[in-house]
């Protein structure tokens, strides 16, 4: 029904926003992570890790952030802008490494296919 679809869309968008460390810093500075109801909501959102829901997410790092948000110490550290900046930098480094590694794997596969085509003639 329309209500469930709206709830699904709102929760999907919110969970994906958790991949943004600057947004997490924003929430922390405004005291959301001190609110027991909000912390319980974060725990409830763990259902997004189930395959039937996870397939809709475009930013897989939100899973890791959602996991880390289950820990009070992590939630407290997010008040510090330097913490958010560090996480942001680490994400960028990970993406750069992943992109380079993926490119090398694709090149190696293309070379292997070319050799197979050449040797098969």
């Amino acid at each position: 029904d329309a209500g469930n679809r709206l709830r699904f869309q709102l929760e999907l968008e919110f969970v994906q926003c958790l991949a943004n460390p600057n947004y997490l810093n924003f929430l922390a500075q405004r005291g959301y992570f001190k609110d027991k109801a909000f912390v319980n909501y974060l725990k409830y959102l763990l259902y997004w890790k189930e395959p039937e829901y996870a397939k809709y997410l475009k930013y897989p790092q939100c899973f890791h952030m959602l996991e880390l948000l289950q820990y009070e110490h992590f939630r407290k550290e997010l008040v510090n802008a330097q913490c958010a900046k560090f996480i942001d930098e680490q994400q960028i480094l990970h993406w750069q490494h992943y992109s380079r590694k993926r490119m090398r794997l694709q090149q190696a596969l293309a070379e292997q296919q070319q050799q197979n085509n050449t040797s098969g003639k």
Side-chain angles (χ1 to χ4, degrees):
D1 86 317
N4 285 337
R5 187 171 51 194
L6 178 61
R7 180 179 175 176
F8 176 84
Q9 290 172 338
L10 291 172
E11 289 181 357
L12 171 65
E13 184 175 341
F14 178 71
V15 168
Q16 292 190 114
C17 285
L18 298 179
N20 182 339
N22 296 309
Y23 180 63
L24 297 178
N25 176 250
F26 170 87
L27 293 173
Q29 288 182 346
R30 279 146 188 86
Y32 283 91
F33 297 141
K34 294 178 183 175
D35 180 354
K36 188 170 182 127
F38 190 78
V39 171
N40 286 337
Y41 181 63
L42 293 171
K43 187 173 185 175
Y44 157 77
L45 290 173
L46 287 170
Y47 79 86
W48 280 95
K49 294 180 72 178
E50 298 297 323
E52 64 265 25
Y53 297 100
K55 66 183 178 185
Y56 296 103
L57 295 166
K58 293 183 181 182
Y59 307 104
Q61 62 273 29
C62 68
F63 293 128
H64 189 63
M65 292 300 165
L66 185 57
E67 279 289 327
L68 290 173
L69 286 168
Q70 304 305 310
Y71 299 97
E72 183 179 7
H73 179 73
F74 181 72
R75 293 191 304 266
K76 285 180 178 179
E77 288 297 319
L78 286 170
V79 173
N80 182 351
Q82 288 301 315
C83 177
K85 184 177 187 225
F86 175 77
I87 295 169
D88 191 41
E89 290 170 350
Q90 293 303 304
Q91 284 182 339
I92 290 169
L93 290 171
H94 174 75
W95 291 329
Q96 289 173 340
H97 172 75
Y98 174 80
S99 296
R100 279 188 243 120
K101 184 176 179 180
R102 184 175 171 97
M103 188 179 297
R104 285 193 302 267
L105 288 171
Q106 288 174 334
Q107 287 173 342
L109 181 61
E111 289 171 7
Q112 183 181 14
Q113 287 175 342
Q114 187 177 21
Q115 287 176 353
N116 290 344
N117 290 343
T118 306
S119 63
K121 289 183 179 181

